[in-house]
Amino acid sequence: MTTPTYIMLDGALVPFADATVHVTSGAFKFGTSVFEGIRGYWNEEQEQMHLFRMDDHFRRLEFSQRFMRFDGAVSGAEMARQTLELLRANELRATVHIMATAYVKGSGPPAACGPIGTSVVATPGVGGLHVENGCTVQISSWQRLPDPAMPARVKCNANYQNGRVAIIQAREDGYDTILMLNSRGKIAEGPGMCFFMIRDGMAVTPTTSSDILESITRETVMELLPRYCGIEVVEREVDRSELVAADEAFFCGTAWEVTPIASVDRLAVGEGGVGPVTRKLQEAYFRIVRGETPDFEEWRTGVY
Ligand code: PMP
């Protein structure tokens, strides 16, 4: 990853080295911050960067701020304005990962609700895990945060400690990543991505009441599967043992895009490679996000 020239801090462009937050802030002391990860796909032929579903991401940032009871929450429209200004100022002509944050910048106790600051960082490079033949997954012994404790649907930075402990364990055990169960013992999600399996000709994904983030890529994939792969999608509770019966499985998310799962707990999923539905879905997904098709134009915002 390369270092961008500017970062957007509290609505102003500042040089990378000057984009700092005070150690007394609620964000630093207690993790009182919420964020969005958004991708901008560079299309060389069109000399255009397409931001994928930016407005949906910033709507979710509004929801996260509302849940956190931030005083003077920053609007999605304002965050979109800042994001476009930043990308243009940095003259980025590459696929980027954007992290947009709203945080308590004032000092105060854990329940402090303001004042609120914002930042937007756009970094050229790739996120997720790039595996040709699928990733190896461990079912974590760590449980996904239950909604009555701290909701996974709120994209609060502090929530990411839950996935973090699980990933560290999985890496030490020799896996690429993890799938977490919720407190009811049902499949929830990965640390930065949602889960789908193909079973008996249907696509199955855990419901949004399974202690998952209400993922924008998950919604995207639910629209693409019937249209491009001829596969119906069911949202329901998913048991761990069903993975043994699945023909294919994959993760999806802004950074993870569509990433096949090769094995779970060292047992191959289906044939153990990249299944035909996952392959077809990946092709459709990449054409859409890169703006190589007029389909779903409403999901793309051109930067230039
Ligand atoms: N679950 C978690 C915990 C995540 O952090 C993410 C990444 N934002 C996802 C799922 C995928 O969500 P989205 O498709 O909106 O990026």
Side-chain angles (χ1 to χ4, degrees):
M1 295 226 181
T2 50
T3 303
T5 311
Y6 298 111
I7 282 177
M8 186 66 81
L9 187 67
D10 296 334
L13 291 170
V14 299
F16 183 91
D18 300 339
T20 54
V21 175
H22 204 270
V23 292
T24 62
S25 66
F28 181 81
K29 288 191 299 192
F30 308 114
T32 318
S33 50
V34 294
F35 76 104
E36 282 298 319
I38 306 170
R39 271 219 189 209
Y41 287 88
W42 178 247
N43 185 314
E44 185 65 45
E45 220 162 84
Q46 299 166 5
E47 295 197 18
Q48 178 62 284
M49 186 192 296
H50 298 287
L51 299 178
F52 191 61
R53 301 193 69 167
M54 175 175 69
D55 295 342
D56 295 311
H57 280 281
F58 286 138
R59 234 189 315 278
R60 190 168 65 188
L61 191 71
E62 285 179 353
F63 162 78
S64 293
Q65 293 180 83
R66 184 174 159 75
F67 176 86
M68 300 287 281
R69 302 189 182 226
F70 281 7
D71 288 336
V74 183
S75 74
E78 171 57 17
M79 293 304 289
R81 186 200 66 72
Q82 293 186 17
T83 301
L84 290 169
E85 187 183 333
L86 175 76
L87 291 167
R88 290 168 188 153
N90 278 319
E91 296 176 10
L92 291 168
R93 290 172 176 273
T95 291
V96 295
H97 187 267
I98 298 157
M99 184 149 172
T101 305
Y103 61 98
V104 169
K105 69 173 172 180
S107 60
C113 294
I116 300 304
T118 57
S119 67
V120 188
V121 184
T123 317
V126 291
L129 179 80
H130 290 266
V131 281
E132 264 302 296
N133 298 314
C135 55
T136 62
V137 174
Q138 177 182 51
I139 303 276
S140 185
S141 56
W142 291 99
Q143 207 168 71
R144 189 75 184 122
L145 285 165
D147 191 77
M150 182 65 201
R153 65 163 56 73
V154 177
K155 212 166 156 60
C156 174
N157 299 56
N159 285 2
Y160 285 74
Q161 297 305 315
N162 179 220
R164 181 173 175 271
V165 291
I167 296 173
I168 289 171
Q169 178 182 1
R171 291 206 182 129
E172 293 202 348
D173 292 345
Y175 295 87
D176 292 328
T177 190
I178 48 154
L179 189 51
M180 297 185 86
L181 304 180
N182 60 29
S183 56
R184 299 183 298 280
K186 304 297 179 185
I187 289 179
E189 62 179 349
M193 60 283 195
C194 282
F195 171 82
F196 281 78
M197 70 175 174
I198 310 298
R199 187 177 175 196
D200 300 330
M202 305 276 278
V204 183
T205 192
T207 71
T208 52
S209 294
S210 304
D211 295 318
I212 66 170
L213 182 73
E214 292 184 358
S215 151
I216 291 159
T217 318
R218 174 182 173 280
E219 267 180 36
T220 302
V221 163
M222 285 173 65
E223 289 208 42
L224 302 192
L225 278 166
R227 179 154 160 178
Y228 298 96
C229 309
I231 296 269
E232 290 308 313
V233 183
V234 194
E235 297 174 84
R236 63 163 172 81
E237 285 196 328
V238 180
D239 285 328
R240 172 180 189 164
S241 55
E242 286 187 85
L243 284 161
V244 180
D247 301 309
E248 300 179 35
F250 61 86
F251 283 124
C252 72
T254 295
W256 283 68
E257 301 169 315
V258 175
T259 298
I261 296 174
S263 66
V264 177
D265 291 338
R266 304 265 181 249
L267 189 62
V269 175
E271 309 272 305
V274 184
V277 177
T278 310
R279 176 78 69 208
K280 231 180 197 172
L281 176 69
Q282 277 182 318
E283 283 165 16
Y285 184 80
F286 285 118
R287 270 203 316 277
I288 289 164
V289 295
R290 292 173 184 149
E292 292 167 3
T293 162
D295 294 359
F296 295 108
E297 202 180 345
E298 66 278 13
W299 283 347
R300 294 181 293 267
T301 304
V303 172
Y304 300 107

